[in-house]
Amino acid sequence: MPPAPVVTAVWAMVGIGVGIAVQMINRRLARIESLTPGSGPVCRWGPVIVAGLVFALLGWRLGAEPLLLIRSLWAAVLVQVLFFDAEHRLILNLVLLPAAVAAVALSPFTPGLGWRSALIAGVVAGLAFLIIAGLGALAFRAEAMGMGDVKLAAVIGLLLGVTYTAPALLAGMILAGLAAAVLLVLRRRGRRDTIAYGPFMCVGALAWLVLEGISR
């Protein structure tokens, strides 16, 4: 097996390539959805930097083994959702549906997961966020959380399984709450204004993939 520094360096370069591909895919998807592709520095460099960093950390923690490929695939999906939703407030079924199918198909080959854990976590996470979205709509008389967030929660459940889905999603919701509080204090958002939860959910899932994730 190659030494950890070699795997880390090589996989960081792979991540940079994936980030460039995500940037190009997001621009293409924006045109398909009749949206204006972003041109700011975050849109240009965000996917590249985040994918490169996450891939490097995955290479360092996992080394050259099959699980690295599986987790890297999920990292690429989450990076795409993160930046597309941050830019357009939209999570695409065109991305989530293939990811969900692939997650179920790969779950038997993922150590510590399995298809039962994946399906249970996906269904429970989706239902939990559907209830949260419904309660939020009743409380605020407006859409507090979109169906894209609900479907993203279900996909994250499929990726992480029963043990790790709740901590990952909870971390994402805490980050979203902190961000909303900061924006409120800075008067960048009003009390009834909503934020995109998807990017924060993706950050929570990415952190869990890298730091804990599915047991090796």
Side-chain angles (χ1 to χ4, degrees):
M1 180 179 295
V6 174
V7 176
T8 302
V10 170
W11 215 241
M13 297 303 296
V14 172
I16 290 172
V18 168
I20 294 172
V22 166
Q23 180 198 61
M24 296 172 62
I25 289 169
N26 281 355
R27 293 180 66 84
R28 176 61 178 166
L29 290 173
R31 294 190 181 96
I32 291 174
E33 296 294 324
S34 300
L35 301 169
T36 302
S39 57
V42 173
C43 299
R44 290 199 305 269
W45 298 108
V48 178
I49 294 172
V50 173
L53 177 61
V54 170
F55 273 56
L57 291 172
L58 286 172
W60 171 61
R61 285 186 60 83
L62 297 177
E65 62 176 60
L67 184 57
L68 176 62
L69 298 177
I70 295 175
R71 287 203 197 176
S72 297
L73 173 61
W74 305 147
V77 171
L78 291 168
V79 168
Q80 187 282 324
V81 174
L82 191 165
F83 285 97
F84 196 87
D85 191 30
E87 183 181 352
H88 300 293
R89 299 291 297 269
L90 185 63
I91 302 175
L92 300 176
N93 292 332
L94 187 62
V95 174
L96 292 186
L97 182 57
V101 173
V104 175
L106 291 174
S107 60
F109 307 101
T110 305
L113 186 56
W115 66 268
R116 288 185 181 86
S117 178
L119 287 176
I120 291 171
V123 171
V124 171
L127 288 176
F129 270 68
L130 182 61
I131 292 171
I132 293 172
L135 293 176
L138 289 174
F140 298 102
R141 299 186 183 278
E143 187 181 78
M145 179 179 291
M147 287 303 298
D149 299 318
V150 174
K151 288 179 279 190
L152 175 60
V155 170
I156 290 174
L158 294 174
L159 302 184
L160 298 183
V162 170
T163 305
Y164 300 109
T165 297
L169 292 177
L170 179 60
M173 296 301 290
I174 291 173
L175 288 173
L178 291 174
V182 170
L183 291 173
L184 184 61
V185 169
L186 296 177
R187 298 185 178 180
R188 299 289 297 274
R189 290 287 190 277
R191 291 182 180 274
R192 292 187 176 274
D193 292 335
T194 61
I195 64 171
Y197 287 97
F200 300 98
M201 294 163 66
C202 289
V203 169
L206 284 169
W208 219 255
L209 279 177
V210 171
L211 299 177
E212 295 292 339
I214 302 159
S215 61
R216 298 175 60 183

